[in-house]
Amino acid sequence: LSCRFSNWASNEMAVRKIVPATFLSPNLIECTTPSWGVADLAELTIIILGSGLDLSHRDDGYESLLTFAFVRPFELHSIKPNNGFVAGGTDIVINGGHFSDVHGAVACAFQWSRASIEAPALASFEATVVSDSIVACSTPEAPSKGVADVSLVYGGDEFHLRG
């Protein structure tokens, strides 16, 4: 059982990578994406030849299930302003690169870790992608005065300001 990622762009060389897949249930197959050199769409095909699983409706043993998007990782360069009120509501702008909400929502995450807080507090709020280099959001109410780490969350990934 395998997952095949393919790009058959007419003007480019075809890219084809096959990775192992795991059968988790009749409705769930898991595979880890391979490294992909560029931000691009890829056809994802589940290969079931010789697996004993009856998931195919075609004679060749393949069924194309979906298109998978490889995207560039977000880059965070700066946050302005870099302070706000404990009550929250400060509008901030995050400058960086490769921002997009085409494949899902983007959120600003704020994490506090002061000794006065029993466990690190985390708050996440919807962000607005203004352009491929600007994301805007508002600060939440803070549990106390102090410094918060700010990151962007997109899908299952979290991107931090490089320091």
Side-chain angles (χ1 to χ4, degrees), residues 40-63:
D40 198 1
L41 293 178
E43 178 184 90
L44 172 57
T45 304
I46 306 301
I47 302 171
I48 59 172
L49 288 174
S51 66
L53 299 173
D54 185 22
L55 300 176
S56 175
H57 301 293
R58 290 175 41 185
D59 293 336
D60 63 0
Y62 299 103
E63 181 179 350

Side-chain angles (χ1 to χ4, degrees), residues 28-110:
L28 189 60
I29 294 173
E30 179 180 69
C31 58
T32 302
T33 59
S35 62
W36 207 257
V38 296
D40 198 1
L41 293 178
E43 178 184 90
L44 172 57
T45 304
I46 306 301
I47 302 171
I48 59 172
L49 288 174
S51 66
L53 299 173
D54 185 22
L55 300 176
S56 175
H57 301 293
R58 290 175 41 185
D59 293 336
D60 63 0
Y62 299 103
E63 181 179 350
S64 180
L65 299 176
L66 55 94
T67 300
F68 185 85
F70 286 94
V71 296
R72 290 186 177 121
F74 288 4
E75 294 177 4
L76 281 62
H77 299 198
S78 65
I79 299 172
K80 293 183 182 175
N82 63 358
N83 59 58
F85 298 104
V86 172
T90 302
D91 292 331
I92 64 171
V93 173
I94 299 172
N95 292 290
H98 313 299
F99 298 150
S100 172
D101 59 0
V102 171
H103 302 289
V106 176
C108 288
F110 300 83

